[in-house]
Amino acid sequence: NKVLSVFVMSLLLVMGFSPVVFAKTTSLNYANFPPAPTFPCIQMERWKTQVEERTHGAVAINTFPGGTLLGAKDMMDGVINGQADIGCICMAYQPGRFTTTNATSLPLGIPDAKTGSLVLLDLYNKYQPRAFEKVKVLTMFVSAPANIMSKYPVKTLSDLKGLDLRASGGAAQILKSWGANQIGMPMSATPEALQKGVVNGLFSSLEVMKDLKFAEICRNVTMTNTVIYPFAVIMNKNKWNALPEDVKKIMDGLVREQSAWTGEYMDNHVEESINWSKQTYDINVINLSDAEKTEWDNKLAPIIENWIDDANKKNLPGDQIVTDIKNLIKTHR
Ligand code: 3IO
């Protein structure tokens, strides 16, 4: 019987080869802190798909969005300690830890996420900061420039005075300089804080209006396009070292591509989110008058000088880092 013999042959083939095939499969756990629909998780799924395709299944990536494996503030140490193989960190959540790369969140005029992502990656490659010496960096990217999302309209600095707004890191410094009552917490804690009225709004990129449905609570957006949040995807060093050379090559080949892909996705998605928020919740988009904008910008002048002083105290070339970022913006924009 032909059918039976084909079946038996196939069975023997599978039994014979599967130990070889499966012995080669490496599974890696990838932790992320915010909910699945947000951009750090969208880029995670894209990277997973690319790695699985390009390694022809020799590597399987198990993704854990929403802080199910590691939370926002445990991410860096959790990956160093091996609680997850790969993790996505927002550098703003530990500003003192990533001084050099966090300089990208100074108000230096990064115009969009694509430009910012490549600026950040180049800056990292030039300085190879010690903050990352215990991990392998798989990619870096940034959010789109931050704007104010608020329950109340913000048209002037006096509207902002004392308003409870959520931000982190470099963006938090900026809110403080403008006189807002800045409250620090990761993005993953923000939906609950908004719901409970712990904060009346936030300062971040506008795609969360759609992805986290903030447009429902925050019907007002003030356009400032001031500053980005920098991110890194990092891998446990021992796990990296144990990977086959061909797999390392594939992942190294994705570093820059993933950075540009994520920046581009972010920039497009911000547009989509603004349109969705207008259509769905009729949100009020406020553009500052020229006079008002000048006043807001003037408040930010000391931030860069302060950062340079702090960097110099840490024996980092503060002036040079700032100059490099300005030049890299011109290169990539
Ligand atoms: C961000 C973080 C997690 C999910 C979506 C996001 N969009 C912009 C950010 C930047 C950020 O880390 C923050 O805390 O605002």
Side-chain angles (χ1 to χ4, degrees):
N1 181 313
K2 202 172 168 189
V3 174
L4 187 66
S5 67
V6 167
F7 175 75
V8 171
M9 294 274 284
S10 310
L11 199 66
L12 286 172
L13 268 173
V14 170
M15 281 163 48
F17 284 113
S18 61
V20 181
V21 173
F22 290 122
K24 273 197 198 160
T25 305
T26 308
S27 279
L28 299 172
N29 290 340
Y30 187 153
N32 219 327
F33 63 94
T38 60
F39 92 103
C41 293
I42 300 290
Q43 73 75 35
M44 167 171 77
E45 295 302 328
R46 189 266 173 183
W47 189 85
K48 165 194 161 83
T49 307
Q50 292 299 319
V51 168
E52 290 178 350
E53 271 177 29
R54 293 178 196 198
T55 61
H56 306 289
V59 176
I61 309 292
N62 306 317
T63 57
F64 295 83
T68 46
L69 183 55
L70 285 171
K73 293 197 174 179
D74 305 326
M75 195 59 77
M76 187 69 184
D77 289 324
V79 170
I80 290 171
N81 300 335
Q83 289 166 267
D85 303 321
I86 302 172
C88 175
I89 59 163
C90 177
M91 299 173 205
Y93 303 161
Q94 292 179 293
R97 185 169 188 173
F98 306 104
T99 307
T100 301
T101 43
N102 263 323
T104 56
S105 63
L106 292 168
L108 294 169
I110 289 178
D112 54 61
K114 170 104 182 268
T115 304
S117 296
L118 296 174
V119 168
L120 172 63
L121 192 59
D122 282 355
L123 190 78
Y124 166 74
N125 283 326
K126 172 169 178 182
Y127 286 96
Q128 302 281 319
R130 286 184 61 188
F132 292 97
E133 71 187 355
K134 290 184 181 158
V135 294
K136 163 71 185 176
V137 170
L138 294 176
T139 193
M140 286 193 181
F141 51 81
V142 307
S143 72
N147 294 301
I148 297 168
M149 295 161 253
S150 166
K151 292 181 188 175
Y152 312 107
V154 175
K155 293 187 173 131
T156 62
L157 283 175
S158 58
D159 292 336
L160 202 54
K161 189 127 198 89
L163 190 63
D164 297 328
L165 294 179
R166 172 273 150 191
S168 280
Q173 287 304 115
I174 286 169
L175 274 189
K176 270 189 219 162
S177 303
W178 287 335
N181 184 30
Q182 178 270 322
I183 298 171
M185 69 183 79
M187 183 62 88
S188 34
T190 307
E192 191 180 323
L194 268 174
Q195 208 77 47
K196 289 190 171 161
V198 173
V199 297
N200 288 318
L202 71 153
F203 187 48
S204 189
S205 53
L206 294 179
E207 91 294 345
V208 288
M209 289 285 277
K210 182 173 191 227
D211 295 344
L212 294 173
K213 304 283 177 282
F214 289 162
E216 191 181 349
I217 297 182
C218 299
R219 299 293 174 92
N220 302 279
V221 166
T222 303
M223 301 304 286
T224 66
N225 283 325
T226 326
V227 74
I228 57 80
Y229 285 81
F231 288 74
V233 177
I234 41 130
M235 181 169 179
N236 178 279
K237 248 305 174 36
N238 292 332
K239 282 281 180 161
W240 169 260
N241 289 334
L243 288 177
E245 285 309 314
D246 55 338
V247 171
K248 285 184 188 168
K249 214 179 231 171
I250 285 164
M251 289 184 182
D252 274 334
L254 261 166
V255 173
R256 192 174 190 80
E257 183 190 315
Q258 183 72 13
S259 174
W261 186 92
T262 305
E264 218 167 292
Y265 166 80
M266 168 55 101
D267 289 327
N268 292 331
H269 201 54
V270 162
E271 290 308 310
E272 196 182 319
S273 168
I274 294 171
N275 291 335
W276 178 88
S277 304
K278 282 179 183 164
Q279 276 163 20
T280 314
Y281 291 104
D282 193 25
I283 59 149
N284 177 24
V285 178
I286 298 161
N287 289 297
L288 299 174
S289 70
D290 288 347
E292 193 66 30
K293 177 85 171 113
T294 305
E295 240 183 275
W296 291 47
D297 286 347
N298 289 342
K299 299 267 184 207
L300 304 183
I303 291 181
I304 297 167
E305 285 314 311
N306 289 342
W307 181 87
I308 291 173
D309 286 346
D310 180 56
N312 290 344
K313 280 188 199 121
K314 293 178 178 172
N315 283 319
L316 294 167
D319 270 314
Q320 188 59 49
I321 291 169
V322 168
T323 304
D324 283 341
I325 293 171
K326 287 181 183 166
N327 288 331
L328 285 168
I329 293 170
K330 287 183 202 148
T331 306
H332 290 298
R333 76 178 301 161

